[in-house]
Amino acid sequence: MLEIDNLRITYGKHTALGGVGMAVDKGECVVILGANGAGKSSLLKAVGGVVRPASGVISHEGQDLAQVPAHEIVERGIALVPEGRGIFARMSVADNLALGCHPARARGGAEARRREVLELFPRLAERQKQLVGTMSGGEQQMVAIARALMSNPDLLLLDEPSLGLAPIVTKEVFAALGRIRETGLTLLIVEQNVRASLALASRGYLLEAGRVVGSGSAEQLQSDPAVQRAFLGGT
Ligand code: ATP
């Protein structure tokens, strides 16, 4: 469903990604691991159309996305939940979800989708009128994911969904992602929380300084010395 080949991203003279390749199949949940500054967000932003690659191919269902604008990428079924969530704090949960239905591909069946999304996040169902700015970090993350789902995606991109959340709340967010995964939606997740993300994902890639330095099944990555060294407190 998604194939990335030799992707380069630069900011001025700085190279954030120096020729990265990866692939995600339909229905898979794939995680991208890496330390701060490894280039994980840049990669996700390029797939979401928020950052223009310097060169390389991002192919979705056989079509190159590298020069496609972000609003058109949403129409093709790719939804990005950005780091920091990008939700509207002064609007209610219901209004944030309504904004998610804006793409043409989301208009048909919006009501049924809203019901499904609220079933996935019962906590939001109880709080539809609440202003999002008054909610906890975990609830806000749920609103961001729920809004992205309202755009009727077939590929959901999540940038550090556990960022700034307490462990118990992270657990709740990942439990919701597990339920989303069971619906068959394809997930590509950037995470620093290696344990939670490898428990969810089937496969992953390790980025270091803008390059893929490791890849494999969740089990392989869990025991990869580079992952152990970088994240799990190994030596
Ligand atoms: P983090 O977990 O800290 O967000 P990351 O792995 O997601 O890290 P990126 O955010 O993709 O990494 O950043 C990769 C590199 O590119 C970093 O060195 C960062 O400072 C740089 N960078 C990212 N965005 C910009 C920008 N808009 N302008 C200049 N440099 C940038």
Side-chain angles (χ1 to χ4, degrees):
M1 124 157 327
L2 183 73
E3 272 187 54
I4 297 174
D5 189 32
N6 208 11
L7 186 67
R8 285 188 70 247
I9 297 177
T10 54
Y11 301 103
K13 285 187 182 156
H14 180 75
T15 300
L17 281 190
V20 161
M22 59 180 64
V24 181
D25 285 336
K26 207 172 187 63
E28 268 196 312
C29 174
V30 173
V31 65
I32 302 171
L33 304 172
N36 282 328
K40 309 177 302 294
S41 296
S42 298
L43 188 144
L44 224 52
K45 284 180 189 162
V47 178
V50 183
V51 158
R52 282 267 162 274
S55 61
V57 177
I58 303 171
S59 169
H60 173 246
E61 306 284 16
Q63 289 187 308
D64 189 12
L65 294 183
Q67 302 304 326
V68 175
H71 66 270
E72 176 56 30
I73 284 182
V74 178
E75 293 294 356
R76 296 193 190 189
I78 299 177
L80 171 66
V81 182
E83 189 175 329
R85 301 163 197 145
I87 43 181
F88 294 91
R90 292 182 183 207
M91 289 171 62
S92 68
V93 171
D95 288 344
N96 269 276
L97 295 193
L99 279 179
C101 307
H102 189 64
R105 69 177 278 122
R107 286 178 208 152
E111 189 42 43
R113 204 165 304 112
R114 205 175 65 84
R115 275 198 302 272
E116 282 168 25
V117 163
L118 292 176
E119 268 169 35
L120 277 168
F121 296 104
R123 232 203 252 213
L124 301 185
E126 298 158 10
R127 294 157 179 257
Q128 289 190 65
K129 291 195 179 137
Q130 189 170 341
L131 294 185
V132 169
T134 66
M135 299 179 100
S136 72
E139 288 162 355
Q140 292 189 15
Q141 186 63 58
M142 291 175 199
V143 173
I145 297 169
R147 191 186 60 180
L149 290 175
M150 291 303 294
S151 73
N152 190 23
D154 56 20
L155 171 62
L156 187 63
L157 310 171
L158 296 134
D159 197 349
E160 302 220 19
S162 78
L163 192 75
L165 303 183
I168 186 156
V169 184
T170 297
K171 215 168 155 184
E172 212 177 312
V173 169
F174 271 81
L177 293 177
R179 295 195 293 275
I180 292 169
R181 190 194 160 171
E182 280 166 21
T183 68
L185 190 64
T186 312
L187 302 178
L188 181 59
I189 305 181
V190 158
E191 253 298 339
Q192 300 242 9
N193 187 324
V194 177
R195 283 198 178 86
S197 56
L198 288 181
L200 177 73
S202 48
R203 234 163 36 78
Y205 295 87
L206 176 63
L207 279 187
E208 222 173 78
R211 295 194 177 271
V212 174
V213 296
S215 64
S217 68
E219 295 75 31
Q220 286 166 333
L221 283 172
Q222 188 93 44
S223 52
D224 184 318
V227 174
Q228 298 264 338
R229 222 176 17 248
F231 302 105
L232 298 173
T235 50

